[in-house]
Amino acid sequence: WCIDNNVDIINMSFGLDEYSEILHSVIKKAYNEGILLVAASGNDNRMQYPARFKEVLSVGGVDKDLNRTYYSTETNSDVYAPAEDCQTTGFVGSFAKSSGTSIAAAHVSGVAAAVKSIDISMTNKKLMKILKESTVKNSDKNGCYGIINYSNAVNIYLNTGTDEEDIMDIDDIEDSSNNEAYVNGSWSKDSWQNESSSNGTGHYSMINGLDTEYFA
């Protein structure tokens, strides 16, 4: 459907542990049609599909202190974005607090769309390269990782040529101590609870916590 309707960006906030030939086939078809594919890396500290496909921009999560979340420390994702206790839309017009790389992927897809709006003829290859190379670098005991940065991405596009090869390799454009360089998320002081918990904020509990009148 996305290919047939000429979309520019596909956000995939889902993951599979096993390789799927059918999924990979349609991923490659979408990529060859010029679509940027963004996927959540997963919440079990290992890279899931479709994020593992080379045609896909994989997204891991950071917390409010810009540290990799415990479920993203070893995924070596392409980029990282806010993933902990983010305010988001819920069911039937409500708002909810949620966590996970699904939320991070949505952040990245939003940044990608904003960058793409500068030049709608920008190829998916160039857009992916810009997003990767414009990240603000941080590090922990598992190595270096890059946090998505809209301002840097725009600056790279405006200061380079039109070809993918013209995009410079950079570690940092802006000082990482500048909080204005980061994509802003809405953080909550409440701690994360497991989905099975009665007061959890996972996907299941978001539904289970709704009043039955919503399902009338």
Side-chain angles (χ1 to χ4, degrees):
W1 184 94
C2 291
I3 295 171
D4 291 342
N5 287 274
N6 300 313
V7 304
D8 295 315
I9 299 166
I10 298 175
N11 181 81
M12 296 178 288
S13 287
F14 64 87
L16 306 171
D17 290 328
E18 301 295 330
Y19 173 82
S20 167
E21 184 176 351
I22 294 175
L23 178 60
H24 197 190
S25 177
V26 73
I27 289 287
K28 288 187 286 187
K29 183 178 179 182
Y31 180 81
N32 291 332
E33 289 290 332
I35 299 174
L36 177 71
L37 299 134
V38 180
S41 292
N43 300 327
D44 296 315
N45 218 13
R46 63 180 185 272
M47 187 82 70
Q48 292 185 307
Y49 297 101
R52 286 181 64 174
F53 296 136
K54 65 180 182 179
E55 299 86 2
V56 175
L57 185 69
S58 60
V59 183
V62 295
D63 60 22
K64 63 182 178 180
D65 297 316
L66 303 180
N67 297 317
R68 277 192 276 199
T69 59
Y70 69 90
Y71 47 80
S72 290
T73 55
E74 298 178 10
T75 59
N76 294 318
S77 302
D78 293 322
V79 297
Y80 289 76
E84 279 292 286
D85 295 336
C86 297
Q87 180 173 295
T88 184
T89 51
F91 297 96
V92 292
S94 64
F95 291 92
K97 181 187 67 175
S98 190
S99 297
T101 57
S102 290
I103 306 298
H107 273 96
V108 172
S109 293
V111 172
V115 175
K116 174 82 173 181
S117 70
I118 301 171
D119 177 8
I120 59 173
S121 66
M122 190 186 310
T123 66
N124 59 341
K125 293 179 181 179
K126 179 173 182 177
L127 182 54
M128 181 183 290
K129 191 173 180 68
I130 286 176
L131 293 172
K132 288 180 181 180
E133 295 186 352
S134 62
T135 58
V136 172
K137 301 303 187 293
N138 206 349
S139 61
D140 58 22
K141 63 180 181 180
N142 293 296
C144 187
Y145 57 97
I147 302 168
I148 196 72
N149 188 289
Y150 169 66
S151 178
N152 286 358
V154 171
N155 287 335
I156 284 184
Y157 174 79
L158 295 178
N159 290 285
T160 58
T162 57
D163 297 327
E164 284 82 359
E165 293 77 12
D166 292 332
I167 302 173
M168 69 186 86
D169 290 327
I170 58 170
D171 291 329
D172 248 70
I173 290 182
E174 298 188 16
D175 183 353
S176 61
S177 65
N178 177 10
N179 289 331
E180 293 181 355
Y182 301 115
V183 175
N184 290 322
S186 297
W187 310 105
S188 171
K189 294 180 179 178
D190 295 332
S191 60
W192 167 260
Q193 300 290 333
N194 294 327
E195 292 193 351
S196 59
S197 172
S198 60
N199 61 339
T201 55
H203 293 121
Y204 293 117
S205 55
M206 285 173 66
I207 299 174
N208 294 340
L210 289 174
D211 193 287
T212 53
E213 69 182 23
Y214 289 126
F215 302 100

